[in-house]
Structures are given as C-alpha cells and as structure tokens.
C-alpha cells in the first residue's frame, strides 16, 4: 500500500490518501490504554487480559504500557508470545483441557496458575505440574443468562462436581482457587451476582477457602448505538456481592476480559465492492474475515459510511442486506442493517468497536481476508 506515515490523525486521513481496496483495521493505542486504565481503576482486584481476543503485538505492548501485568493464555503459542513481549507478566493457563506436551511446555515456561473442570484433567495436572506455589482454579458453570452465547456448553463443572474438585486440588497441595466465565458480551450484571454467590456456596460445602476468585471475561463492549455497556455498574456489583457472599472476607478477585478491553480501540474500514441493482451491499470483508463473529455475537450497528473523498453519507437510512466478498451464502451479516440512503459503490463502511475476535479469527477463505492495520491518534472518522 506504500504507507507514507506510521501514525495517522484519524481513519479518514488514511482512507482519502490511500484509497485502500482491501479492508483496514484502524488501531488507536490511546483508546486501548484508556480502557485498560478504566479496568485497573474500576475493577476491585487484578486485571488480566484474555490474549485470544486479539493477540496483535501492538495490543499486548500497549496493555503492558498501561499497567496490565497478567494474561490469560490458552496455548503454548500464546504462552511464548507473552513471555517474549512481557517477560515479567503473570500467565494464567485457563484452558481447562490441555495435551500433556502443552502442560509440560507451560511448566518449562514457569506458568504457575491453571484452571480445571474435570477429574481426568486434574489428574494430568497433578502428574505433570509440581504443586509448590502453583494455583489450580476450579472452573464451574451455572445455567447461562445475559450473555451473547452459552460458554457453559463447552467448559465448567457443575456446582456439585466443583466441590469435589476444589477439595482434591487442596489435598494435592496446590493453591485452591475458583473461576467462572459468565459468557461473552454479558450485558446483564446479575449474571455475576449469581456466580459469586454460587462460588461462596462451593467453598462452604467443600470446607476449602479459595485463595483467589477469577470472575472471568464476558464484560460487554459497545456494539449497538442504543446500548451502552454498564462496566462501572458491573465492577461495583462484583465488589459488593463478593463481600456479602463471603461474609466480608472474599478471596482476592481477578478478572480476565478480552472483548471489553480491546474492542473499542479498533475500527474496521470495509469498502462497498458492489451495490447489486441498488439492493444488496457487497463489502470487501465479511464473516470469513474480520466480521467473523457477527453471526454468533450479533450485529454491530455503530457504522459510518464515507465517500472515497471523505464525505460522510447522511441521507435517511434504509435497511439493507450486507454480504461479504466470498461465494459462500452464509457470508452475510445478521438481519438487515440500516445504512444511509445515499451510499454508493466505492464507499467506505466503517464499523466501530471491532477490536475483539476480528483480526484474531480472520481466515483467508476464497482468496479474501487480506487486511492491514493502521495506527491512528483517534478513531472518530
Ligand atoms: C475467551 C476467554 C476470556 C475472554 O472472554 P471475553 O468475553 O472476550 O471477555 C476469558 N477467560 C477465558 C477462560 C476465556 O476462554
């Protein structure tokens, strides 16, 4: 693309100068650092980052610069990435099912915190990981509520089973802790209320004092114009309910947001390849690319449309079907999306809040998926 600058003022400066034919992710480090500080100041405990939501190096480096000192990692590759970029950071290996060679890799890299949701995987950890000073968190689940989709379908022990696992962890000489994940894009603060009270109940029944309680990711990001995330409300609720449920002596709290930390720091600029007979919009990016997550997590309606000359389209909105560039018919954004009535072929369609599960899950299906990242001072188009 022949970039002449490394940091641009805003997306329109780049788009007007470069007129890119491929999708561009605009990254604002200032927004990421401000969000990280909002978590660090607001959350009543340790804030760690779930690497899978966006493992770009600039993301990790800016989080470290903002004061994030712990990372939720799920694979040897993520462990190595963080060891390289943030050698002093704490690593929490919170993927509850791991191959033996993956566990051995974590031990060699000095990982001292693991999660588990089954007897078979706890047995593996006991065999391979020296217990001294190492934490094992039992991951439990409740019937899902408030999230975009059900995380409990894959991971989490029932409450009854968690009681037994917590006892076994303590008996094996590991530091016993608890963890849960209420489900991603969880807009209902009450989900944390139910999980915190269940955690206290598990500890009481097991007769084991958990050292730490990891309240997961799942914190919502701003996807819909009309729905602001209620982060401060969720932080306050977590602090208050943890004290109540554990009779004034809660375990040390940890959170591991992915989405809510990184989403707002990226905007995705796509381009209209074709406006088929003035009906369907075909973009140069879709559900096999950076918009991969929209069919399961729901639409993002924070959209700006801009002409190649940088003029914001603002005619009365009209609902349209939006397709991605591949020849697969599932490559379509959910529902119909309101776009300005005066959009035209060649326009840029810019989605806000696109940092999570976008660059991380982009495929190269059908020869598409080529996109770049441009750093900007601010994301306002
Ligand atoms: C994916 C994941 C997260 C991050 O979830 P978000 O909904 O993106 O905040 C946190 N913890 C674990 C164990 C995960 O698998």
């Amino acid at each position: 693309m022949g970039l002449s600058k490394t940091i641009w003022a805003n997306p329109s400066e780049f788009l007007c100068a470069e007129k890119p034919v491929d999708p561009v992710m605009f990254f604002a480090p200032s927004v990421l650092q401000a969000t990280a500080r909002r978590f660090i100041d607001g959350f009543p405990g340790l804030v760690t980052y779930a690497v899978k939501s966006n493992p770009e190096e600039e993301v990790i480096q800016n989080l470290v610069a903002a004061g994030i000192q712990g990372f939720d990692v799920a694979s040897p590759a993520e462990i190595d990435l963080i060891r390289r970029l943030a050698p002093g950071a704490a690593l929490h290996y919170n993927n509850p099912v791991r191959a033996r060679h993956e566990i051995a890799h974590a031990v060699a890299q000095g990982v001292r915190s693991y999660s588990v949701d089954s007897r078979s995987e706890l047995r593996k950890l006991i065999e391979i990981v020296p217990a001294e000073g190492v934490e094992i968190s039992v991951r439990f689940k409740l019937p899902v509520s408030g999230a975009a989709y059900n995380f409990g379908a894959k991971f989490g022990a029932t409450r009854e089973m968690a009681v037994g696992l917590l006892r076994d962890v303590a008996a094996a000489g590991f530091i016993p802790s608890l963890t849960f994940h209420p489900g991603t894009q969880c807009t209902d603060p009450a989900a944390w209320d139910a999980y915190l009270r269940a955690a206290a109940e598990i500890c009481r029944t097991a007769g084991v004092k958990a050292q730490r309680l990891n309240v997961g990711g799942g914190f919502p990001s701003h996807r819909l114009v009309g729905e602001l995330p209620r982060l401060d409300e969720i932080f306050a609720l977590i602090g208050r309910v943890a004290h109540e449920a554990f009779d004034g002596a809660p375990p040390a709290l940890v959170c591991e947001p992915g989405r809510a930390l990184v989403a707002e720091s990226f905007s995705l600029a796509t381009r209209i390849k074709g406006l088929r007979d003035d009906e369907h919009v075909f973009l140069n990016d879709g559900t096999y690319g950076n918009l991969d997550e929209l069919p399961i997590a729901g639409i993002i309606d924070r959209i700006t449309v801009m002409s190649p000359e940088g003029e914001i389209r603002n005619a009365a909105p009209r609902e349209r079907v939006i397709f991605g560039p591949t020849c697969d018919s599932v490559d379509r954004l959910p529902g119909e999306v309101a776009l300005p009535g005066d959009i035209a072929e060649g326009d840029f369609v810019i989605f806000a809040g696109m940092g999570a599960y976008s660059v991380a899950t982009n495929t190269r299906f059908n020869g598409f998926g080529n996109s770049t990242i441009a750093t900007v001072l601010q994301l306002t188009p």
Side-chain angles (χ1 to χ4, degrees), residues 32-272:
L32 181 62
Q33 293 206 24
T35 311
R37 281 192 294 272
R38 185 171 174 204
F39 263 89
I40 291 169
D41 294 344
F43 180 77
L46 176 70
V47 179
T48 67
Y49 173 63
V51 174
K52 78 170 185 288
S53 57
N54 188 328
E56 289 295 321
E57 296 200 0
E58 306 94 302
V59 168
I60 306 299
Q61 282 159 345
N62 277 282
L63 287 172
V64 171
I68 297 289
Q69 293 167 348
F71 293 85
D72 163 40
V73 290
S75 60
E78 288 186 355
I79 291 171
D80 295 348
L81 174 76
I82 301 302
R83 275 285 176 260
R84 178 164 63 79
L85 297 175
L91 297 180
H92 299 163
Y93 194 174
N94 286 344
N95 181 347
V97 181
R98 314 160 186 84
R100 286 168 199 273
H101 75 273
E102 293 171 331
I103 300 171
H105 186 90
V107 171
Q109 291 303 315
V111 174
R112 301 171 77 75
S113 179
Y114 300 79
S115 74
V116 82
D117 67 353
S118 64
R119 286 184 291 269
S120 61
E121 302 310 299
L122 177 57
R123 275 198 298 274
K124 279 195 214 166
L125 289 179
I126 291 173
E127 268 176 48
I128 304 170
V129 184
E132 179 69 34
V134 170
E135 168 183 63
I136 296 183
S137 301
V138 174
R139 177 155 168 188
F140 69 98
K141 66 175 170 190
L142 299 178
V144 72
S145 75
Y149 58 95
N150 184 3
F151 263 42
K154 186 162 179 182
F155 295 122
T158 61
R159 270 173 281 196
E160 296 69 37
M161 193 169 165
V163 167
L165 287 170
L166 193 64
R167 284 185 184 136
D168 292 349
V169 166
F174 291 91
I175 297 166
S177 289
L178 279 174
T179 185
F180 60 84
H181 191 303
T184 200
Q185 188 63 17
C186 185
T187 49
D188 182 7
W192 278 274
D193 189 308
Y195 269 101
L196 289 163
R197 294 184 197 281
E201 196 55 44
I202 290 167
C203 290
R204 266 194 292 277
T205 312
V208 173
K209 194 168 159 32
Q211 178 150 328
R212 297 204 293 184
L213 174 56
N214 185 328
V215 304
F219 300 88
S221 69
H222 191 185
R223 302 177 71 88
L224 304 180
V225 170
E227 199 175 306
L228 276 170
R230 293 144 69 188
L231 285 184
D232 296 321
E233 195 182 324
I234 295 170
F235 295 156
L237 178 143
I238 289 172
R240 175 175 59 77
V241 175
H243 266 86
E244 274 172 33
F246 287 88
D247 299 324
L253 297 175
V254 181
C255 68
E256 50 185 13
R259 178 188 307 284
L261 258 183
V262 76
E264 201 59 18
S265 59
F266 283 77
S267 290
L268 168 66
T270 63
R271 199 156 187 193
I272 300 179

